[in-house]
C-alpha cells in the first residue's frame, strides 16, 4: 500500500565536516648581499606554488635584480609585504646567508631554505639559527632518489654556460677586450678554451664553447668522470688526466680558462699564472672563490659584468651564474615547485624530513642543534646526526 507523502518522516542526514588545514606561508625577502643577484622564484613559479595550497609573501622590491616588478608578483597571487612580514613566515627562502638581525625576526622553529657555503657562514649567524630553533636547509645539498642534486646541478649547468657566454662577450669587446670571436672564421684559428674538471659545470661550459667553434681541452683527476664527459660531449673535446706538464702547456696558449671543482685540491700559483696570456679570460666556478688562482684578483660578476683590461692584466671572474640571474630564477622556480610538492604530500615539514632522505641531507641546523659537520667546525662545536632527532620525534 502506498504511503501518503504526509506520513514520511524526515531523517537527519550527517553533514560532512572538514577541518580547514592551515596554509603554509612562504616568505621571500629581498637579498641584501651584493654578491648574490639570483632570486629563487619567478611570478609564474609563485602562481604554481599558490595553486598547491601555499601562501607566498614577497618583500617589496625583492625581485628587482631579475627585472620583475612587484605588480608582476601580486597579479599572480603573492602578498607584498615589508621585510619583517617576509621573514616571519613558516618557510623563508633566501639564497645568501641571513644576518643575525634577520634571523631574530624569523618565526621560532621555521624553515630556512638557502645555499649553504660553510666558509661564508659566521659563528654569530649559526648561533642565532640555534637560538631560534630554525630548521635550516642548504638546498644545494638536497639530493633525489637517484643520487642527483637538483638545485646544485642546475646552478652548476648555468654557471658553465654563463661563463662561456661572458667570455665570448669579453673577447669580442673591441675596447676592453681583444676584439676577437671565440670560434674564429674560415682561415683563422679559433680560440682555445681550457676547462679544469669534468662535472656538470665543466661539461656545460665545454658544450657551449664547442658549439661556438672553439678548441676545448678538458682536464680532470677523475678518469671515470672524464670518460663520461667525453662520451657525452663527443670527439670534439680533447681530454686529459690532470698532469702538471700537460695542463701547464694548455694554460700557456689558452684564451679562456674555466676552473670547476675537482677531487684533488688544486691551487695554481703565481708562477703558473705568469705563463698565461695577458688578457686571458679566467673563471673560477667553485663556490669557494679564489682557491684555484690565489694570486689573481677576483671580479664578482654579481656586481660587474665587465672589467677594464686595457693594461692586459689577468683577473679571475667568479659568481658566473649571477651574470644571468633571471635564467637562474626560472630554473630555481621549477626545482622549488617540485620540492614543495613533496612537502605538501608529506603533510608537514617534519614529516617531509622523515619521509624524504634526500631532504635530510641538506639540513644543517635542527631543533637548536647543528647537524652538519662542516658547519659545526665553523662554529667550533660538535654536530648531532639529524636521524637521532627524527627517530625520537
Amino acid at each position: 500500500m502506498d504511503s501518503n507523502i504526509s506520513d514520511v518522516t524526515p531523517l537527519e542526514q550527517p553533514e560532512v565536516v572538514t577541518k580547514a588545514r592551515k596554509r603554509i606561508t612562504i616568505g621571500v625577502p629581498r637579498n641584501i648581499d651584493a654578491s648574490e643577484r639570483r632570486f629563487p622564484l619567478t611570478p609564474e613559479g609563485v602562481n604554481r606554488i599558490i595553486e598547491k595550497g601555499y601562501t607566498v609573501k614577497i618583500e617589496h622590491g625583492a625581485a628587482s635584480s631579475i627585472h620583475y616588478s612587484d605588480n608582476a608578483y601580486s597579479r599572480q597571487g603573492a602578498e607584498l609585504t615589508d621585510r619583517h612580514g617576509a621573514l616571519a613566515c613558516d618557510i623563508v627562502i633566501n639564497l645568501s646567508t641571513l644576518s643575525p638581525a634577520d634571523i631574530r625576526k624569523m618565526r621560532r622553529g621555521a624553515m630556512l631554505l638557502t645555499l649553504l657555503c660553510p666558509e661564508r657562514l659566521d659563528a654569530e649567524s649559526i648561533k642565532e639559527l640555534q637560538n631560534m630553533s630554525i630548521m635550516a636547509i642548504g638546498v644545494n645539498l638536497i639530493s633525489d632518489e637517484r643520487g642527483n642534486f637538483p638545485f646544485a646541478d642546475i646552478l652548476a649547468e648555468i654557471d658553465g654556460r654563463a661563463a662561456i657566454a661572458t667570455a665570448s662577450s669579453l673577447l669580442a669587446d673591441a675596447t676592453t677586450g681583444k676584439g676577437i670571436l671565440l670560434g674564429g672564421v674560415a682561415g683563422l684559428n679559433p680560440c682555445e678554451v681550457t676547462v679544469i674538471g669534468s662535472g656538470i659545470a665543466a661539461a656545460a661550459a665545454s658544450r657551449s664553447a664547442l658549439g661556438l667553434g672553439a678548441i676545448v681541452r678538458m682536464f680532470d683527476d677523475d678518469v671515470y668522470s672524464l670518460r663520461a664527459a667525453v662520451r657525452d660531449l663527443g670527439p670534439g673535446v680533447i681530454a686529459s688526466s690532470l698532469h702538471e706538464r700537460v695542463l701547464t702547456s694548455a694554460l700557456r696558449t689558452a684564451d679562456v680558462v674555466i676552473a670547476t671543482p675537482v677531487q684533488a685540491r688544486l691551487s695554481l700559483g703565481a708562477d703558473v699564472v705568469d705563463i698565461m696570456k695577458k688578457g686571458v679570460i679566467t673563471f673560477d666556478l667553485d663556490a669557494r672563490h679564489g682557491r684555484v688562482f690565489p694570486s689573481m684578483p677576483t671580479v664578482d660578476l654579481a656586481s660587474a659584468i665587465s672589467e677594464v683590461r686595457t693594461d692586459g692584466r689577468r683577473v679571475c671572474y667568479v659568481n658566473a651564474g649571477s651574470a644571468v640571474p633571471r635564467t637562474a630564477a626560472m630554473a630555481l622556480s621549477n626545482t622549488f615547485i617540485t620540492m614543495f610538492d613533496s612537502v605538501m604530500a608529506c603533510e608537514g615539514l617534519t614529516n617531509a624530513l622523515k619521509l624524504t632522505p634526500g631532504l635530510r641531507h641538506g639540513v644543517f641546523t635542527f631543533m637548536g642543534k647543528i647537524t652538519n659537520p662542516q658547519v659545526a667546525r665553523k662554529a667550533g662545536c660538535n654536530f648531532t646526526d639529524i636521524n637521532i632527532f627524527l627517530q625520537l620525534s
Side-chain angles (χ1 to χ4, degrees):
M1 181 178 177
D2 293 334
S3 308
N4 191 295
I5 191 168
S6 62
D7 296 333
V8 177
T9 303
L11 299 177
E12 294 181 357
Q13 295 294 322
E15 183 178 352
V16 177
V17 178
T18 59
K19 183 178 180 181
R21 184 167 58 181
K22 177 181 176 295
R23 291 174 69 93
I24 298 175
T25 57
I26 299 173
V28 189
R30 181 173 56 86
N31 202 332
I32 59 176
D33 185 349
S35 66
E36 183 56 81
R37 291 180 55 84
R38 296 170 297 186
F39 194 71
L41 297 174
T42 62
E44 295 80 6
V46 165
N47 178 260
R48 290 187 59 187
I49 290 172
I50 291 172
E51 288 178 346
K52 297 178 186 300
Y54 293 90
T55 296
V56 180
K57 299 184 179 184
I58 307 280
E59 183 183 357
H60 291 285
S64 59
S65 63
I66 58 172
H67 307 293
Y68 278 119
S69 66
D70 288 345
N71 287 338
Y73 286 91
S74 62
R75 285 196 298 267
Q76 299 297 334
E79 297 180 20
L80 299 177
T81 182
D82 58 12
R83 189 165 188 81
H84 188 276
L87 289 167
C89 292
D90 301 312
I91 301 174
V92 174
I93 308 176
N94 194 80
L95 298 182
S96 62
T97 303
L98 284 176
S99 67
D102 279 341
I103 295 172
R104 286 191 288 269
K105 294 175 185 175
M106 292 180 65
R107 180 176 300 172
R108 180 171 293 275
M111 174 188 283
L112 171 64
L113 300 174
T114 185
L115 292 174
L116 177 61
C117 184
E119 289 81 1
R120 299 182 189 178
L121 270 177
D122 60 84
E124 187 179 356
S125 293
I126 298 171
K127 183 178 179 180
E128 286 301 329
L129 290 172
Q130 293 179 267
N131 291 340
M132 296 296 293
S133 296
I134 301 298
M135 184 194 305
I137 299 178
V139 295
N140 50 315
L141 302 182
I142 294 174
S143 60
D144 62 18
E145 63 277 1
R146 291 170 293 182
N148 301 315
F149 294 84
F151 289 93
D153 291 349
I154 191 64
L155 291 178
E157 184 174 359
I158 291 171
D159 283 348
R161 290 189 176 275
I164 291 298
T166 304
S168 179
S169 176
L170 292 172
L171 285 171
D173 193 311
T175 303
T176 62
K178 295 181 177 181
I180 61 175
L181 292 173
L182 184 66
V185 294
L188 299 177
N189 288 331
C191 289
E192 296 183 21
V193 177
T194 294
V195 179
I196 300 172
S198 58
I200 291 177
S206 299
R207 185 176 292 106
S208 293
L210 288 169
L212 291 173
I215 297 172
V216 178
R217 292 183 172 88
M218 176 180 283
F219 295 85
D220 202 343
D221 54 347
D222 185 339
V223 177
Y224 290 98
S225 176
L226 193 65
R227 182 181 294 121
V230 172
R231 188 184 304 121
D232 181 45
L233 294 168
V237 64
I238 304 167
S240 171
S241 295
L242 205 54
H243 294 303
E244 182 179 350
R245 288 178 58 187
V246 181
L247 176 61
T248 301
S249 177
L251 292 173
R252 190 189 305 274
T253 59
D255 298 284
V256 179
V257 177
I258 298 177
T260 68
V262 292
Q263 285 184 345
R265 179 167 179 169
L266 182 66
S267 180
L268 302 175
D271 56 330
V272 176
V273 172
D274 285 343
I275 69 169
M276 295 164 64
K277 288 182 178 180
K278 289 190 180 298
V280 61
I281 310 296
T282 306
F283 293 85
D284 185 355
L285 303 188
D286 195 314
R288 297 157 293 190
H289 302 153
R291 290 183 60 177
V292 180
F293 300 100
S295 66
M296 274 191 181
T298 59
V299 176
D300 192 337
L301 288 171
S303 55
I305 301 304
S306 64
E307 175 79 4
V308 176
R309 292 176 285 100
T310 52
D311 58 356
R313 67 191 180 98
R314 306 174 186 89
V315 298
C316 183
Y317 294 94
V318 299
N319 215 356
S322 281
V324 288
R326 192 156 174 166
T327 295
M330 290 186 285
L332 286 170
S333 285
N334 293 335
T335 315
F336 274 117
I337 289 167
T338 302
M339 175 187 164
F340 289 135
D341 266 342
S342 300
V343 172
M344 188 64 75
C346 295
E347 299 184 347
L349 304 180
T350 304
N351 282 340
L353 291 180
K354 291 180 179 179
L355 301 174
T356 315
L359 188 61
R360 292 202 295 272
H361 294 161
V363 180
F364 59 95
T365 64
F366 185 73
M367 295 180 64
K369 300 293 183 181
I370 299 175
T371 56
N372 179 286
Q374 290 179 298
V375 174
R377 282 196 296 271
K378 182 73 175 182
C381 61
N382 296 324
F383 82 99
T384 306
D385 190 338
I386 189 175
N387 291 302
I388 296 175
F389 293 109
L390 297 178
Q391 289 171 2
L392 296 176
S393 61

